[in-house]
Amino acid sequence: MTAALIWVLLTVVAEFALLSLNLFGDAATKQGQFIDDAFILLMALAIPVFTFVVTMIGYVVIKFRADGDELEDAAPVRTHKKWVGSWLIWTTLLTIVVIIYPGYVGVQELRETHEEEADLTVNVTGRRWQWSYEYEGRAVSLFAKDDMLILPNDSLIRFYVTSEDQDVIHSFWIPAFRMKIDAVPGLTTKFDVNTTKIGNFNDDVNFRVQCAELCGRDHSLMFTRVKVVEPAEFEQWIADQAA
Ligand SMILES: [Cu+2]
């Protein structure tokens, strides 16, 4: 009975903390919102299971601790078939549910833009230890570490990502977008995002490209500041670059 109360209490506190703390800040893309929703749901489902295990461990450690110097055998352990059976059924059902949603459904959500024409296509190349970017059809390339990757808000942006030949594997990650994909020599990977939020690195460090695959000495420095601006401002910036 005490254990059950502790379990309920821990569950309520942890669920409340999960829903009230904004752990990672708001996602800056539609796809990022899908991912955050999935993460919150999985955490919410996992919390009661986790608190149950922790409570039971704590409870039996205290309740059945060694008492004095007696060294006699403990009571025999018997299987409680109903408990074991219901635990198996509930956890199996939970697993099937999360495979379908957010698992399968979430993957479909992330793929739903793949047939659409992108508003902006950016070709990304990784090399030790720098990223370079080419805006397709816009005659703008960014290379230096001090450059900022400027992107339009309210747009479908498609990133094609690769790594230079003879280089190593990197990983192209923008935390605010919640998207990350490997940059592999000789292979082009891609992901789509619909930007939904103005922002820049100076206000929110999640607006940055960060290499997420340990690639050598300057791996940690392999990042680019990101700035998401209104589409008109973006077009103006492009025009300024060409001038
Ligand atoms: Cu790297």
Short mmCIF file of all heavy atoms in Angstrom, two decimals, residues 131-185:
data_model
loop_
_atom_site.label_atom_id
_atom_site.label_comp_id
_atom_site.label_asym_id
_atom_site.label_seq_id
_atom_site.Cartn_x
_atom_site.Cartn_y
_atom_site.Cartn_z
N TRP A 131 31.91 23.41 -42.58
CA TRP A 131 30.77 23.13 -43.45
C TRP A 131 30.78 24.15 -44.58
O TRP A 131 31.15 25.31 -44.37
CB TRP A 131 29.45 23.31 -42.68
CG TRP A 131 29.23 22.32 -41.60
CD1 TRP A 131 29.34 22.54 -40.26
CD2 TRP A 131 28.83 20.95 -41.75
NE1 TRP A 131 29.05 21.39 -39.57
CE2 TRP A 131 28.74 20.40 -40.45
CE3 TRP A 131 28.55 20.14 -42.84
CZ2 TRP A 131 28.36 19.08 -40.22
CZ3 TRP A 131 28.18 18.83 -42.62
CH2 TRP A 131 28.09 18.30 -41.32
N SER A 132 30.35 23.72 -45.77
CA SER A 132 30.12 24.72 -46.81
C SER A 132 28.71 24.53 -47.35
O SER A 132 28.16 23.43 -47.30
CB SER A 132 31.16 24.60 -47.92
OG SER A 132 31.07 23.35 -48.55
N TYR A 133 28.15 25.63 -47.83
CA TYR A 133 26.74 25.64 -48.24
C TYR A 133 26.63 26.27 -49.61
O TYR A 133 27.27 27.28 -49.89
CB TYR A 133 25.89 26.47 -47.25
CG TYR A 133 26.11 26.05 -45.83
CD1 TYR A 133 27.07 26.69 -45.05
CD2 TYR A 133 25.39 25.00 -45.28
CE1 TYR A 133 27.30 26.29 -43.75
CE2 TYR A 133 25.62 24.59 -43.98
CZ TYR A 133 26.57 25.24 -43.21
OH TYR A 133 26.81 24.84 -41.93
N GLU A 134 25.76 25.69 -50.43
CA GLU A 134 25.49 26.28 -51.73
C GLU A 134 23.98 26.36 -51.88
O GLU A 134 23.27 25.36 -51.72
CB GLU A 134 26.10 25.38 -52.82
CG GLU A 134 25.98 25.94 -54.19
CD GLU A 134 25.82 24.85 -55.24
OE1 GLU A 134 25.82 23.67 -54.86
OE2 GLU A 134 25.68 25.18 -56.39
N TYR A 135 23.51 27.58 -52.13
CA TYR A 135 22.07 27.77 -52.31
C TYR A 135 21.75 27.49 -53.77
O TYR A 135 22.19 28.23 -54.65
CB TYR A 135 21.67 29.22 -51.98
CG TYR A 135 21.78 29.59 -50.53
CD1 TYR A 135 23.02 29.65 -49.90
CD2 TYR A 135 20.65 29.92 -49.78
CE1 TYR A 135 23.12 30.00 -48.56
CE2 TYR A 135 20.75 30.27 -48.45
CZ TYR A 135 21.99 30.30 -47.85
OH TYR A 135 22.09 30.66 -46.54
N GLU A 136 20.99 26.44 -54.03
CA GLU A 136 20.76 26.02 -55.41
C GLU A 136 20.01 27.09 -56.20
O GLU A 136 18.99 27.59 -55.75
CB GLU A 136 19.95 24.71 -55.42
CG GLU A 136 20.26 23.83 -56.60
CD GLU A 136 19.69 22.44 -56.43
OE1 GLU A 136 20.37 21.62 -55.80
OE2 GLU A 136 18.57 22.20 -56.89
N GLY A 137 20.55 27.44 -57.37
CA GLY A 137 19.92 28.44 -58.22
C GLY A 137 20.04 29.85 -57.73
O GLY A 137 19.43 30.77 -58.28
N ARG A 138 20.83 30.10 -56.68
CA ARG A 138 20.92 31.45 -56.12
C ARG A 138 22.32 32.05 -56.19
O ARG A 138 22.54 33.14 -55.71
CB ARG A 138 20.48 31.47 -54.65
CG ARG A 138 19.17 30.79 -54.37
CD ARG A 138 18.00 31.64 -54.78
NE ARG A 138 16.76 30.97 -54.45
CZ ARG A 138 15.76 31.54 -53.82
NH1 ARG A 138 15.83 32.82 -53.48
NH2 ARG A 138 14.67 30.88 -53.57
N ALA A 139 23.25 31.27 -56.71
CA ALA A 139 24.62 31.77 -56.87
C ALA A 139 25.22 32.32 -55.58
O ALA A 139 25.92 33.32 -55.57
CB ALA A 139 24.68 32.86 -57.97
N VAL A 140 24.89 31.67 -54.47
CA VAL A 140 25.50 32.09 -53.21
C VAL A 140 26.14 30.87 -52.56
O VAL A 140 25.51 29.83 -52.40
CB VAL A 140 24.44 32.68 -52.24
CG1 VAL A 140 25.08 32.95 -50.88
CG2 VAL A 140 23.85 33.95 -52.82
N SER A 141 27.39 31.01 -52.24
CA SER A 141 28.07 29.93 -51.52
C SER A 141 28.70 30.50 -50.26
O SER A 141 29.21 31.61 -50.27
CB SER A 141 29.15 29.30 -52.38
OG SER A 141 28.55 28.62 -53.46
N LEU A 142 28.62 29.75 -49.21
CA LEU A 142 29.20 30.18 -47.95
C LEU A 142 30.27 29.20 -47.57
O LEU A 142 30.09 28.00 -47.65
CB LEU A 142 28.12 30.20 -46.85
CG LEU A 142 26.87 31.01 -47.15
CD1 LEU A 142 25.85 30.78 -46.05
CD2 LEU A 142 27.20 32.48 -47.26
N PHE A 143 31.37 29.71 -47.15
CA PHE A 143 32.42 28.77 -46.80
C PHE A 143 33.09 29.08 -45.47
O PHE A 143 33.24 28.21 -44.62
CB PHE A 143 33.47 28.73 -47.90
CG PHE A 143 34.27 27.47 -47.86
CD1 PHE A 143 33.72 26.28 -48.32
CD2 PHE A 143 35.55 27.46 -47.34
CE1 PHE A 143 34.44 25.11 -48.25
CE2 PHE A 143 36.28 26.28 -47.28
CZ PHE A 143 35.72 25.11 -47.74
N ALA A 144 33.46 30.34 -45.28
CA ALA A 144 34.26 30.68 -44.11
C ALA A 144 33.52 30.36 -42.82
O ALA A 144 32.29 30.39 -42.76
CB ALA A 144 34.63 32.15 -44.15
N LYS A 145 34.28 30.08 -41.77
CA LYS A 145 33.69 29.75 -40.47
C LYS A 145 32.84 30.89 -39.93
O LYS A 145 31.93 30.67 -39.16
CB LYS A 145 34.81 29.45 -39.47
CG LYS A 145 35.18 27.99 -39.39
CD LYS A 145 35.86 27.69 -38.06
CE LYS A 145 36.02 26.21 -37.84
NZ LYS A 145 37.24 25.67 -38.42
N ASP A 146 33.19 32.13 -40.29
CA ASP A 146 32.47 33.27 -39.74
C ASP A 146 31.15 33.54 -40.44
O ASP A 146 30.36 34.36 -40.00
CB ASP A 146 33.34 34.53 -39.83
CG ASP A 146 34.54 34.41 -38.92
OD1 ASP A 146 34.45 33.63 -37.94
OD2 ASP A 146 35.56 35.06 -39.18
N ASP A 147 30.91 32.84 -41.54
CA ASP A 147 29.66 33.07 -42.24
C ASP A 147 28.49 32.54 -41.44
O ASP A 147 28.62 31.64 -40.62
CB ASP A 147 29.67 32.39 -43.60
CG ASP A 147 30.29 33.28 -44.66
OD1 ASP A 147 30.21 34.51 -44.51
OD2 ASP A 147 30.85 32.74 -45.61
N MET A 148 27.33 33.13 -41.75
CA MET A 148 26.13 32.71 -41.06
C MET A 148 25.22 32.08 -42.10
O MET A 148 25.09 32.58 -43.22
CB MET A 148 25.48 33.95 -40.45
CG MET A 148 24.46 33.65 -39.39
SD MET A 148 23.83 35.17 -38.71
CE MET A 148 24.42 35.08 -37.04
N LEU A 149 24.62 30.95 -41.74
CA LEU A 149 23.68 30.30 -42.66
C LEU A 149 22.32 30.99 -42.49
O LEU A 149 21.68 30.85 -41.45
CB LEU A 149 23.57 28.81 -42.33
CG LEU A 149 22.62 27.98 -43.20
CD1 LEU A 149 23.07 27.97 -44.66
CD2 LEU A 149 22.50 26.56 -42.67
N ILE A 150 21.94 31.76 -43.51
CA ILE A 150 20.70 32.53 -43.44
C ILE A 150 19.62 31.77 -44.20
O ILE A 150 19.85 31.29 -45.32
CB ILE A 150 20.91 33.95 -44.01
CG1 ILE A 150 22.04 34.59 -43.20
CG2 ILE A 150 19.62 34.76 -43.99
CD1 ILE A 150 22.14 36.06 -43.28
N LEU A 151 18.46 31.62 -43.58
CA LEU A 151 17.38 30.84 -44.16
C LEU A 151 16.06 31.60 -44.03
O LEU A 151 15.87 32.35 -43.07
CB LEU A 151 17.25 29.49 -43.44
CG LEU A 151 18.49 28.58 -43.48
CD1 LEU A 151 18.34 27.43 -42.49
CD2 LEU A 151 18.72 28.05 -44.89
N PRO A 152 15.14 31.40 -44.99
CA PRO A 152 13.85 32.09 -44.90
C PRO A 152 12.87 31.35 -43.99
O PRO A 152 12.85 30.12 -43.96
CB PRO A 152 13.36 32.07 -46.36
CG PRO A 152 13.99 30.84 -46.95
CD PRO A 152 15.30 30.63 -46.23
N ASN A 153 12.07 32.14 -43.29
CA ASN A 153 11.01 31.54 -42.46
C ASN A 153 9.83 31.13 -43.37
O ASN A 153 9.79 31.51 -44.54
CB ASN A 153 10.54 32.58 -41.42
CG ASN A 153 9.68 31.94 -40.35
OD1 ASN A 153 9.73 30.73 -40.12
ND2 ASN A 153 8.88 32.75 -39.68
N ASP A 154 8.89 30.37 -42.84
CA ASP A 154 7.68 29.97 -43.57
C ASP A 154 8.00 29.32 -44.91
O ASP A 154 7.30 29.55 -45.89
CB ASP A 154 6.77 31.19 -43.84
CG ASP A 154 5.96 31.55 -42.61
OD1 ASP A 154 5.57 30.62 -41.87
OD2 ASP A 154 5.72 32.75 -42.39
N SER A 155 9.05 28.53 -44.95
CA SER A 155 9.47 27.95 -46.23
C SER A 155 9.81 26.47 -46.07
O SER A 155 10.21 26.04 -44.99
CB SER A 155 10.72 28.67 -46.75
OG SER A 155 10.49 30.07 -46.83
N LEU A 156 9.61 25.76 -47.18
CA LEU A 156 10.06 24.37 -47.22
C LEU A 156 11.52 24.37 -47.69
O LEU A 156 11.80 24.76 -48.82
CB LEU A 156 9.18 23.55 -48.16
CG LEU A 156 9.64 22.10 -48.43
CD1 LEU A 156 9.79 21.31 -47.15
CD2 LEU A 156 8.67 21.41 -49.38
N ILE A 157 12.41 23.98 -46.80
CA ILE A 157 13.84 23.99 -47.12
C ILE A 157 14.32 22.55 -47.21
O ILE A 157 14.07 21.75 -46.31
CB ILE A 157 14.65 24.76 -46.07
CG1 ILE A 157 14.12 26.20 -45.98
CG2 ILE A 157 16.14 24.76 -46.43
CD1 ILE A 157 14.74 27.01 -44.86
N ARG A 158 15.00 22.25 -48.32
CA ARG A 158 15.51 20.88 -48.51
C ARG A 158 17.04 20.92 -48.45
O ARG A 158 17.67 21.67 -49.19
CB ARG A 158 15.04 20.35 -49.87
CG ARG A 158 15.48 18.92 -50.17
CD ARG A 158 14.60 18.32 -51.26
NE ARG A 158 13.22 18.19 -50.81
CZ ARG A 158 12.15 18.36 -51.59
NH1 ARG A 158 12.29 18.66 -52.86
NH2 ARG A 158 10.93 18.23 -51.09
N PHE A 159 17.59 20.15 -47.55
CA PHE A 159 19.05 20.06 -47.43
C PHE A 159 19.53 18.76 -48.07
O PHE A 159 19.04 17.68 -47.74
CB PHE A 159 19.47 20.05 -45.95
CG PHE A 159 19.22 21.34 -45.22
CD1 PHE A 159 18.08 21.51 -44.45
CD2 PHE A 159 20.12 22.39 -45.32
CE1 PHE A 159 17.85 22.69 -43.76
CE2 PHE A 159 19.90 23.58 -44.64
CZ PHE A 159 18.75 23.74 -43.86
N TYR A 160 20.46 18.90 -49.02
CA TYR A 160 21.17 17.73 -49.55
C TYR A 160 22.55 17.75 -48.90
O TYR A 160 23.27 18.75 -49.00
CB TYR A 160 21.30 17.79 -51.07
CG TYR A 160 20.00 17.48 -51.79
CD1 TYR A 160 19.25 18.49 -52.39
CD2 TYR A 160 19.52 16.17 -51.83
CE1 TYR A 160 18.06 18.19 -53.04
CE2 TYR A 160 18.33 15.88 -52.47
CZ TYR A 160 17.60 16.89 -53.08
OH TYR A 160 16.43 16.60 -53.71
N VAL A 161 22.89 16.66 -48.25
CA VAL A 161 24.07 16.67 -47.38
C VAL A 161 25.06 15.59 -47.83
O VAL A 161 24.68 14.45 -48.07
CB VAL A 161 23.65 16.40 -45.92
CG1 VAL A 161 24.86 16.39 -45.00
CG2 VAL A 161 22.63 17.44 -45.45
N THR A 162 26.31 15.99 -47.93
CA THR A 162 27.36 15.02 -48.24
C THR A 162 28.65 15.44 -47.57
O THR A 162 28.70 16.46 -46.88
CB THR A 162 27.55 14.86 -49.77
OG1 THR A 162 28.39 13.73 -50.00
CG2 THR A 162 28.15 16.10 -50.40
N SER A 163 29.67 14.63 -47.74
CA SER A 163 30.98 14.94 -47.20
C SER A 163 31.97 14.86 -48.35
O SER A 163 31.74 14.11 -49.31
CB SER A 163 31.33 13.93 -46.10
OG SER A 163 32.47 14.34 -45.41
N GLU A 164 33.06 15.62 -48.28
CA GLU A 164 34.04 15.60 -49.36
C GLU A 164 34.63 14.21 -49.55
O GLU A 164 34.79 13.46 -48.59
CB GLU A 164 35.18 16.57 -49.04
CG GLU A 164 35.13 17.82 -49.88
CD GLU A 164 36.28 18.77 -49.59
OE1 GLU A 164 37.28 18.36 -48.97
OE2 GLU A 164 36.15 19.92 -50.00
N ASP A 165 34.99 13.89 -50.80
CA ASP A 165 35.69 12.62 -51.05
C ASP A 165 36.97 12.60 -50.22
O ASP A 165 37.59 13.64 -50.00
CB ASP A 165 36.06 12.51 -52.54
CG ASP A 165 34.82 12.32 -53.41
OD1 ASP A 165 33.75 12.03 -52.84
OD2 ASP A 165 34.94 12.50 -54.63
N GLN A 166 37.39 11.46 -49.80
CA GLN A 166 38.61 11.28 -48.99
C GLN A 166 38.49 11.91 -47.61
O GLN A 166 39.47 11.99 -46.88
CB GLN A 166 39.86 11.89 -49.67
CG GLN A 166 40.04 11.50 -51.11
CD GLN A 166 40.20 10.00 -51.29
OE1 GLN A 166 40.79 9.33 -50.46
NE2 GLN A 166 39.63 9.46 -52.34
N ASP A 167 37.32 12.40 -47.26
CA ASP A 167 37.15 12.95 -45.91
C ASP A 167 36.51 11.86 -45.03
O ASP A 167 36.55 10.68 -45.38
CB ASP A 167 36.28 14.22 -45.96
CG ASP A 167 36.63 15.19 -44.84
OD1 ASP A 167 36.08 15.02 -43.73
OD2 ASP A 167 37.44 16.10 -45.08
N VAL A 168 35.97 12.26 -43.91
CA VAL A 168 35.37 11.28 -43.00
C VAL A 168 33.88 11.56 -42.86
O VAL A 168 33.37 12.51 -43.44
CB VAL A 168 36.04 11.34 -41.60
CG1 VAL A 168 37.52 11.00 -41.70
CG2 VAL A 168 35.85 12.71 -40.97
N ILE A 169 33.21 10.73 -42.10
CA ILE A 169 31.78 10.93 -41.89
C ILE A 169 31.56 12.06 -40.89
O ILE A 169 32.18 12.08 -39.83
CB ILE A 169 31.11 9.63 -41.40
CG1 ILE A 169 31.25 8.53 -42.43
CG2 ILE A 169 29.64 9.88 -41.08
CD1 ILE A 169 30.74 7.18 -41.96
N HIS A 170 30.68 13.00 -41.26
CA HIS A 170 30.25 14.05 -40.33
C HIS A 170 28.75 13.88 -40.14
O HIS A 170 28.13 12.99 -40.73
CB HIS A 170 30.55 15.44 -40.90
CG HIS A 170 32.02 15.66 -41.19
ND1 HIS A 170 32.91 16.00 -40.21
CD2 HIS A 170 32.72 15.57 -42.34
CE1 HIS A 170 34.12 16.12 -40.74
NE2 HIS A 170 34.03 15.86 -42.04
N SER A 171 28.17 14.73 -39.32
CA SER A 171 26.72 14.68 -39.16
C SER A 171 26.18 16.10 -39.06
O SER A 171 26.64 16.89 -38.25
CB SER A 171 26.34 13.86 -37.93
OG SER A 171 24.93 13.75 -37.84
N PHE A 172 25.24 16.39 -39.95
CA PHE A 172 24.69 17.74 -40.09
C PHE A 172 23.48 17.86 -39.17
O PHE A 172 22.46 17.21 -39.38
CB PHE A 172 24.29 17.94 -41.56
CG PHE A 172 23.69 19.28 -41.87
CD1 PHE A 172 24.48 20.43 -41.89
CD2 PHE A 172 22.34 19.39 -42.16
CE1 PHE A 172 23.92 21.65 -42.20
CE2 PHE A 172 21.78 20.62 -42.48
CZ PHE A 172 22.57 21.75 -42.49
N TRP A 173 23.63 18.71 -38.15
CA TRP A 173 22.60 18.78 -37.10
C TRP A 173 22.26 20.24 -36.80
O TRP A 173 23.16 21.06 -36.58
CB TRP A 173 23.14 18.11 -35.83
CG TRP A 173 22.22 18.15 -34.65
CD1 TRP A 173 20.87 18.02 -34.66
CD2 TRP A 173 22.60 18.30 -33.28
NE1 TRP A 173 20.38 18.07 -33.37
CE2 TRP A 173 21.42 18.24 -32.52
CE3 TRP A 173 23.82 18.47 -32.63
CZ2 TRP A 173 21.42 18.37 -31.12
CZ3 TRP A 173 23.83 18.59 -31.24
CH2 TRP A 173 22.65 18.54 -30.51
N ILE A 174 20.97 20.56 -36.83
CA ILE A 174 20.51 21.89 -36.40
C ILE A 174 19.54 21.66 -35.24
O ILE A 174 18.39 21.28 -35.44
CB ILE A 174 19.82 22.66 -37.55
CG1 ILE A 174 20.77 22.76 -38.76
CG2 ILE A 174 19.39 24.06 -37.06
CD1 ILE A 174 20.17 23.49 -39.95
N PRO A 175 20.02 21.86 -34.00
CA PRO A 175 19.19 21.52 -32.84
C PRO A 175 17.80 22.18 -32.85
O PRO A 175 16.81 21.52 -32.52
CB PRO A 175 20.02 22.01 -31.64
CG PRO A 175 21.44 21.99 -32.13
CD PRO A 175 21.37 22.31 -33.60
N ALA A 176 17.72 23.45 -33.24
CA ALA A 176 16.43 24.13 -33.22
C ALA A 176 15.44 23.50 -34.20
O ALA A 176 14.23 23.58 -34.01
CB ALA A 176 16.60 25.61 -33.55
N PHE A 177 15.96 22.85 -35.24
CA PHE A 177 15.10 22.21 -36.24
C PHE A 177 14.79 20.77 -35.84
O PHE A 177 13.97 20.10 -36.46
CB PHE A 177 15.77 22.20 -37.62
CG PHE A 177 15.92 23.55 -38.26
CD1 PHE A 177 16.53 23.68 -39.50
CD2 PHE A 177 15.46 24.71 -37.64
CE1 PHE A 177 16.68 24.93 -40.11
CE2 PHE A 177 15.61 25.96 -38.23
CZ PHE A 177 16.23 26.06 -39.47
N ARG A 178 15.53 20.26 -34.85
CA ARG A 178 15.39 18.87 -34.37
C ARG A 178 15.74 17.87 -35.48
O ARG A 178 15.20 16.77 -35.52
CB ARG A 178 13.96 18.57 -33.88
CG ARG A 178 13.41 19.53 -32.87
CD ARG A 178 14.07 19.40 -31.52
NE ARG A 178 13.32 20.14 -30.51
CZ ARG A 178 13.62 21.38 -30.12
NH1 ARG A 178 14.65 22.01 -30.64
NH2 ARG A 178 12.89 21.98 -29.20
N MET A 179 16.59 18.27 -36.42
CA MET A 179 16.91 17.38 -37.52
C MET A 179 18.41 17.18 -37.60
O MET A 179 19.19 18.09 -37.38
CB MET A 179 16.39 17.97 -38.85
CG MET A 179 14.88 17.99 -38.94
SD MET A 179 14.13 16.34 -38.83
CE MET A 179 13.88 15.97 -40.55
N LYS A 180 18.78 15.95 -37.92
CA LYS A 180 20.18 15.57 -37.96
C LYS A 180 20.33 14.45 -38.98
O LYS A 180 19.51 13.53 -39.01
CB LYS A 180 20.59 15.08 -36.57
CG LYS A 180 21.98 14.54 -36.48
CD LYS A 180 22.44 14.47 -35.02
CE LYS A 180 21.65 13.46 -34.22
NZ LYS A 180 22.08 13.42 -32.81
N ILE A 181 21.36 14.56 -39.84
CA ILE A 181 21.57 13.47 -40.80
C ILE A 181 23.07 13.33 -41.09
O ILE A 181 23.80 14.33 -41.08
CB ILE A 181 20.75 13.71 -42.09
CG1 ILE A 181 20.59 12.40 -42.86
CG2 ILE A 181 21.38 14.78 -42.97
CD1 ILE A 181 19.33 12.37 -43.71
N ASP A 182 23.51 12.12 -41.35
CA ASP A 182 24.93 11.88 -41.60
C ASP A 182 25.37 12.52 -42.91
O ASP A 182 24.62 12.54 -43.89
CB ASP A 182 25.23 10.38 -41.65
CG ASP A 182 25.44 9.81 -40.25
OD1 ASP A 182 25.35 10.58 -39.28
OD2 ASP A 182 25.68 8.60 -40.14
N ALA A 183 26.60 13.03 -42.92
CA ALA A 183 27.24 13.52 -44.13
C ALA A 183 28.33 12.52 -44.46
O ALA A 183 29.33 12.42 -43.76
CB ALA A 183 27.84 14.91 -43.88
N VAL A 184 28.11 11.75 -45.53
CA VAL A 184 28.98 10.61 -45.83
C VAL A 184 29.67 10.84 -47.18
O VAL A 184 29.01 11.21 -48.15
CB VAL A 184 28.13 9.31 -45.92
CG1 VAL A 184 29.03 8.10 -46.14
CG2 VAL A 184 27.28 9.13 -44.67
N PRO A 185 31.01 10.64 -47.24
CA PRO A 185 31.70 10.80 -48.54
C PRO A 185 31.08 9.87 -49.59
O PRO A 185 30.85 8.68 -49.31
CB PRO A 185 33.15 10.39 -48.24
CG PRO A 185 33.30 10.56 -46.75
CD PRO A 185 31.94 10.27 -46.17
#
